[in-house]
Amino acid sequence: MTALSPIVEDWFSAKGWAARSHQLDVLAAERAGHSVLLIAPTGAGKTLAGFLPSIEDLIATPHDGLHTLYISPLKALAVDVARNLMAPISEMGLKIKVETRTGDTPAARRQRQRFDPPNVLMTTPEQLALLLSHADSARLFGNLKRIVLDELHALVTSKRGDLLALGVARLARLSPHVRVTALSATVAEPEILREWIGAPVAPRPAVLIHAPGGATPELSILASEDRVPWAGHSAAYAVPDLMETIKRHGTTLLFVNTRSQAEMLFQNLWAINEEALPIALHHGSLSVEQRRKVESAMVGGNIRAVVCTSTLDMGIDWGDVDLVVQIGAPKGASRMLQRVGRANHRLDEPSKAMFVPANRFEVLECEAALEAVAAGAQDSERPLPGGLDVLAQHILGLACAAPLDADATFAEVTSAWPYREVSREKFDRVLDFVSTGGYALKAYERFAKLRKTPDGLWRIANPQIAQQYRLNVGTIVEEPMLKVRLVRARGIKKGATTGPIGRGGRMLGEIEEYFIDQLVRGDTFMFGGEIVAFEGVVETEAYVSRSFSQNPKIPSYMGGKFPLSTFLADGVRRIISDRDNWRALPDQVREWLELQAFASVLPGRESLLVETFPRADKHYLVCYPFEGRLAHQTLGMLLTRRLERARGQPLGFVASDYAIAIWCASDLSALIRTGRFSLDQLFDEDMLGDDLEAWLDESALMKRTFRNCAIISGLIERRHPGKEKSGRQLTMSSDIIYDVLYRHEPDHILIEATRRDAARGLLDIERLGTALKRIRRHIQHKPLERISPLAVPVLLDIGREPIFGEGREAVLREAAEDLIAEAMGR
């Protein structure tokens, strides 16, 4: 039995608690010199398990300077964990200094932390990279004892995880005796994560510890008496039910998948909030002040409901949450388990969660997710090989701190799990890119960021490079943003500022530049829980005033849409293909599937249903792979290329998470019937070869992906002292460089990085290849005289006008009624 110090033992006794076995196991493993991966459900005391070794060590051996570095995927999580950690430290009477460091931390405090660090610093991967780029990083981290990585599964599948892995490898070099404790509640393949954390801190292997499971969550799907829509994502039909649900519970978290949905749902709830219940909005584009205000209200128990995005779905314990509501399909079982865990937050009592599907296909997905969560199934993604653009950024950051030795840096980089298989030849190519820009860009001095000195070390070319690096560090490439400032309804005249606009008003948050570009003065939109009118733009700020418009626009954001997981996609196919699974479905959804079986056929679990039918003056091909929007968009592009060669005369296509619809001028049913082409050939997996290459070469996707890689690698810089490039400027710069490289150096390291990013993330090539193998020689063609009931939702996506507010739902409802009447021959 691992012994606790008397101070900690007394604290547990005073609380009426006892340390849990997994908390003591973490402490024992740390004392034995091992790193640890702890897999524990929500409410199991992961935070205390992660910090118990630090508290015990600091009690036994007081430590000047930084002892423990805590890294989280969310700024809000770092702040919350700091608050929860400081309470027991204070109650034990310990003189342990805890601070946070995020992008929201005042600059003066961040500067002070480098020279007078706390014992425990809570931060993010980006802030770690920033700290490592300073010359004093060796002094700051030289005596670091522990690294705590919270919600590790949320980091390792992205480029933020690549940056973190490289940062941990550098910390292990600066402090060879450092150990890592990683915490996570949702992991599909824990052995991989165990290797991930253990790689840079060998030779002792990391220990995997599983905490006992908690109470089984209580899950349900909203049983609304209203009609579930055929299409759409707002779930507006459920708003009255949601308001009644909020009234019946103490605090409710309503999760949505995008910021646009958050703004719309909040306004819809507020419109019927006759009792003026305290309901709040929380997403990443809102100002820090507004988010902190909401968080404080939750901690104080002064709020009844929060409409939120993923900003609140990991590890955060903001007060007593009675119920979690997922609006729209969750897209992943692990993500839903994470969100379900926000309710209750006590291990021995069940969390309560409710799914609210926004359309009929989402009812099926919610049913699959409900079964997956009840079974404790996991579908989190696997970590991938590290990005070369991230490696370039990291190398430059190391050189900003001190001259680097190529051999030692290569050994350090390959100790990080994502880069363990990087060859010396590829590393040298990345190093050459950082130092010269590559062969095609060598003539331009601004791309020469490193210089080799006579002693064989690589140094930054000038001090301004370090300043630029620190302004642009990070791997999150958001669309260019404008600050949104609330002012009185006057002040912008012919590009000048007068009156209150000259001094500014209350900051509401940030909004993507491309959305503002579509507005003219007087246009209204939802933002930050308010309806505002656009007044104008001055430099990087958009000025708005309050409005009472009844039909405001809803800001659309380029990010925030989750792909449907492979696990849930298979669950949806299973439900549809077996009528025994329909018993749990609402009557209207079950009747929809019955109509499909009557008018056409049902998709099989391992096969692909392809329907062809005429409509108006066009001919349609609709198929149902159920592989997610990204894979479907790629497949739609490739299918249209093949149909062009087969003289099918494709005119366009649309893809959803569940289906693809292509419309053509030629009669597709006749082409198939007469043998002009076969569906087996049309869906042959060889399309992922030459067809994919040819499409990539012609598409704008490569340029957009290249822009992101160029920004991350440091080739193009978004921020400069006192100013920031606009979206147009970034696009122009990256497009010009892409054309030069593609023409003169097609094997450039950034072109290679771009192709890999396009294949692994934006296109979902691996998943598409698996799907094409699955359906090989299992394609079922059903020629029809008219649209089928299952095709109605995807056809509603064709040619949709950007209608906002309640009008959009009304238009979709009317269109759906027309299409289903057509499907039934009425």
Side-chain angles (χ1 to χ4, degrees):
M1 185 73 176
T2 303
L4 294 173
S5 63
I7 294 175
V8 176
E9 192 73 65
D10 291 345
W11 178 78
F12 271 109
S13 299
K15 291 284 188 180
W17 300 342
R20 297 180 184 272
S21 60
H22 58 275
Q23 294 170 334
L24 296 175
D25 289 343
V26 171
L27 179 60
E30 286 266 351
R31 285 175 172 172
H34 292 279
S35 290
V36 178
L37 171 62
L38 173 62
I39 308 296
T42 298
K46 286 196 300 295
T47 299
L48 187 55
F51 287 102
L52 191 58
S54 298
I55 293 172
E56 286 283 349
D57 195 28
L58 285 166
I59 290 173
T61 310
H63 185 92
D64 290 331
L66 187 59
H67 178 282
T68 298
L69 185 70
Y70 166 93
I71 300 174
S72 80
L74 297 176
K75 293 184 287 187
L77 181 53
V79 172
D80 177 59
V81 170
R83 175 176 57 83
N84 289 335
L85 177 62
M86 288 166 71
I89 287 174
S90 175
E91 290 163 356
M92 293 180 201
L94 302 176
K95 294 182 179 180
I96 298 175
K97 191 176 179 182
V98 179
E99 290 185 1
T100 60
R101 180 191 176 98
T102 71
D104 298 336
T105 304
R109 189 186 306 166
R110 294 203 304 267
Q111 179 75 3
R112 191 261 303 155
Q113 287 169 343
R114 288 172 44 210
F115 303 99
D116 179 24
N119 301 122
V120 180
L121 182 64
M122 322 291 233
T123 190
T124 61
E126 293 75 21
Q127 288 296 317
L128 172 60
L130 190 59
L131 287 169
L132 289 172
S133 74
H134 287 282
D136 54 15
S137 59
R139 176 190 55 78
L140 176 64
F141 296 111
N143 203 24
L144 183 70
K145 302 299 183 185
R146 302 190 63 243
I147 304 169
V148 179
L149 306 177
D150 204 355
E151 305 293 353
L152 182 61
H153 69 280
L155 286 168
V156 297
T157 58
S158 69
K159 290 187 178 183
R160 295 184 79 203
D162 298 344
L163 189 65
L164 175 60
L166 292 168
V168 171
R170 166 47 57 128
L171 292 174
R173 182 176 176 187
L174 295 177
S175 182
H177 302 294
V178 74
R179 291 292 171 259
V180 178
T181 296
L183 312 172
S184 187
T186 53
V187 179
E189 299 178 277
E191 278 298 326
I192 293 179
L193 289 198
R194 185 183 68 83
E195 294 173 7
W196 195 99
I197 67 167
V201 291
R204 295 199 176 190
V207 175
L208 175 61
I209 297 174
H210 281 276
T216 302
E218 297 177 1
L219 308 172
S220 63
I221 299 177
L222 175 67
S224 176
E225 296 182 2
D226 206 337
R227 186 184 185 195
V228 179
W230 291 82
H233 299 284
S234 71
Y237 77 96
V239 169
D241 295 301
L242 290 174
M243 182 55 71
E244 291 303 315
T245 299
I246 291 169
K247 291 177 183 178
R248 293 196 303 270
H249 292 84
T251 301
T252 302
L253 285 185
L254 298 102
F255 281 106
V256 295
N257 292 336
T258 69
R259 298 172 191 179
S260 302
Q261 290 173 312
E263 292 281 354
M264 183 161 46
L265 178 60
F266 177 82
Q267 289 293 338
N268 287 340
L269 286 171
W270 197 253
I272 62 170
N273 187 12
E274 296 177 354
E275 298 178 24
L277 298 177
I279 300 174
L281 178 66
H282 195 288
H283 62 69
S285 288
L286 301 181
S287 67
V288 176
E289 293 76 17
Q290 184 163 346
R291 282 183 276 127
R292 294 292 177 264
K293 184 177 179 181
V294 172
E295 293 158 9
S296 297
M298 290 181 66
V299 171
N302 301 320
I303 208 158
R304 293 293 295 276
V306 181
V307 179
C308 56
T309 58
S310 56
T311 51
L312 290 181
D313 74 356
M314 281 187 289
I316 299 174
D317 186 11
W318 301 116
D320 292 325
V321 176
D322 293 336
L323 177 70
V324 164
V325 178
Q326 169 65 42
I327 309 296
K331 304 303 174 190
S334 292
R335 179 180 299 109
M336 196 58 225
L337 276 168
Q338 190 78 43
R339 291 182 169 180
V340 168
R342 298 311 103 221
N344 183 11
H345 230 77
R346 289 179 290 276
L347 182 64
D348 302 323
E349 298 178 23
S351 299
K352 289 179 61 180
M354 181 173 70
F355 297 87
V356 181
N359 58 58
R360 298 193 176 195
F361 267 124
E362 286 192 352
V363 172
L364 304 175
E365 188 181 332
C366 287
E367 185 64 37
L370 188 150
E371 296 172 6
V373 172
Q378 300 283 356
D379 57 2
S380 56
E381 299 175 50
R382 300 185 66 176
L384 294 168
L388 300 177
D389 50 349
V390 181
L391 178 56
Q393 181 185 127
H394 180 70
I395 288 173
L396 181 58
L398 296 184
C400 290
L404 62 86
D405 175 84
D407 294 338
T409 303
F410 174 70
E412 177 186 318
V413 163
T414 51
S415 73
W417 190 92
Y419 296 92
R420 67 198 186 284
E421 296 179 355
V422 170
S423 67
R424 181 58 191 260
E425 181 270 337
K426 188 157 290 185
F427 173 84
D428 287 340
R429 287 175 61 205
V430 175
L431 180 59
D432 178 65
F433 160 70
V434 177
S435 60
T436 67
Y439 171 77
L441 302 176
K442 279 185 178 179
Y444 302 93
E445 186 176 352
R446 66 190 178 96
F447 298 122
K449 298 186 176 180
L450 300 182
R451 290 180 180 169
K452 196 171 186 179
T453 60
D455 57 0
L457 300 180
W458 293 91
R459 300 173 181 267
I460 56 174
N462 59 69
Q464 286 71 36
I465 288 172
Q467 182 185 30
Q468 284 296 107
Y469 171 86
R470 291 169 190 139
L471 282 173
N472 291 278
V473 69
T475 63
I476 301 174
V477 182
E478 294 183 331
E479 292 299 307
M481 308 290 282
L482 296 176
K483 291 181 172 62
V484 180
R485 194 176 289 279
L486 185 66
V487 297
R488 292 197 290 274
R490 68 177 191 275
I492 294 188
K493 298 179 180 179
K494 297 182 180 180
T497 62
T498 62
I501 286 186
R503 295 294 178 185
R506 181 164 66 91
M507 190 66 68
L508 296 182
E510 294 184 318
I511 199 165
E512 290 180 3
E513 183 182 287
Y514 89 99
F515 176 76
I516 292 294
D517 284 346
Q518 303 171 36
L519 305 180
V520 297
R521 187 175 182 187
D523 282 351
T524 60
F525 61 96
M526 299 177 185
F527 188 77
E530 310 215 29
I531 297 176
V532 296
F534 175 62
E535 298 293 338
V537 172
V538 176
E539 296 179 350
T540 59
E541 294 189 346
Y543 293 105
V544 300
S545 59
R546 281 197 174 88
S547 171
F548 298 96
S549 170
Q550 296 299 308
N551 195 27
K553 296 181 178 181
I554 303 160
S556 53
Y557 297 87
M558 297 299 287
K561 294 182 179 178
F562 300 115
L564 175 67
S565 75
T566 303
F567 186 88
L568 287 191
D570 181 68
V572 172
R573 289 195 300 269
R574 177 181 52 78
I575 290 171
I576 291 179
S577 62
D578 188 349
R579 289 172 184 262
D580 289 341
N581 297 318
W582 298 1
R583 288 191 293 268
L585 300 176
D587 291 344
Q588 54 189 305
V589 176
R590 190 166 56 249
E591 291 166 2
W592 174 50
L593 296 179
E594 294 283 5
L595 288 174
Q596 173 68 17
F598 172 78
S600 177
V601 295
L602 293 164
R605 183 173 182 180
E606 300 299 329
S607 60
L608 176 70
L609 171 62
V610 177
E611 298 173 329
T612 53
F613 53 85
R615 185 169 184 271
D617 57 346
K618 300 180 183 68
H619 297 269
Y620 288 80
L621 180 151
V622 180
C623 58
Y624 307 90
F626 297 100
E627 292 294 344
R629 189 181 301 271
L630 289 178
H632 289 176
Q633 287 175 340
T634 305
L635 182 57
M637 288 286 190
L638 297 176
L639 289 175
T640 55
R641 291 180 69 89
R642 290 198 160 185
L643 284 169
E644 282 178 8
R645 292 202 297 270
R647 301 181 186 272
Q649 297 180 283
L651 303 174
F653 81 95
V654 68
S656 70
D657 270 328
Y658 315 101
I660 305 168
I662 303 173
W663 53 100
C664 303
S666 298
D667 186 341
L668 297 177
S669 297
L671 288 174
I672 296 170
R673 185 176 61 252
T674 58
R676 293 274 296 278
F677 72 87
S678 73
L679 289 175
D680 284 333
Q681 291 175 340
L682 183 65
F683 286 90
D684 194 287
E685 61 194 281
D686 67 3
M687 73 168 69
L688 300 183
D690 292 342
D691 280 345
L692 178 63
E693 287 292 318
W695 174 63
L696 278 175
D697 289 342
E698 297 170 8
S699 74
L701 175 66
M702 281 289 284
K703 285 190 174 181
R704 190 166 72 248
T705 310
F706 176 82
R707 187 195 70 172
N708 293 346
C709 289
I711 290 172
I712 291 171
S713 69
L715 186 68
I716 295 174
E717 293 158 335
R718 292 170 290 181
R719 301 180 188 92
H720 298 264
K723 61 181 179 180
E724 185 165 343
K725 283 186 177 180
S726 69
R728 291 190 188 92
Q729 289 171 325
L730 287 172
T731 300
M732 287 179 62
S733 298
S734 65
D735 285 358
I736 291 170
I737 295 174
Y738 176 82
D739 290 338
V740 169
L741 295 181
Y742 191 80
R743 189 178 305 116
H744 300 290
E745 196 180 356
D747 62 344
H748 190 280
I749 198 73
L750 272 198
I751 298 291
E752 180 181 333
T754 299
R755 286 189 172 276
R756 196 185 70 163
D757 276 8
R760 81 174 187 177
L762 297 172
L763 302 179
D764 234 337
I765 297 300
E766 182 179 356
R767 181 170 177 179
L768 184 53
T770 301
L772 293 175
K773 285 186 176 70
R774 172 175 56 81
I775 65 171
R776 185 190 301 158
R777 292 187 292 278
H778 291 88
I779 300 175
Q780 182 177 15
H781 176 222
K782 182 66 177 179
L784 302 170
E785 295 181 0
R786 60 181 67 89
I787 184 176
S788 73
L790 215 60
V792 169
V794 71
L795 259 66
L796 285 170
D797 286 336
I798 296 175
R800 268 201 326 235
E801 292 299 318
I803 301 166
F804 301 94
E806 295 179 3
R808 172 187 169 86
E809 296 300 316
V811 168
L812 282 175
R813 185 164 56 249
E814 182 179 342
E817 290 169 356
D818 291 344
L819 282 176
I820 196 60
E822 183 180 326
M824 300 310 297
R826 295 197 296 270

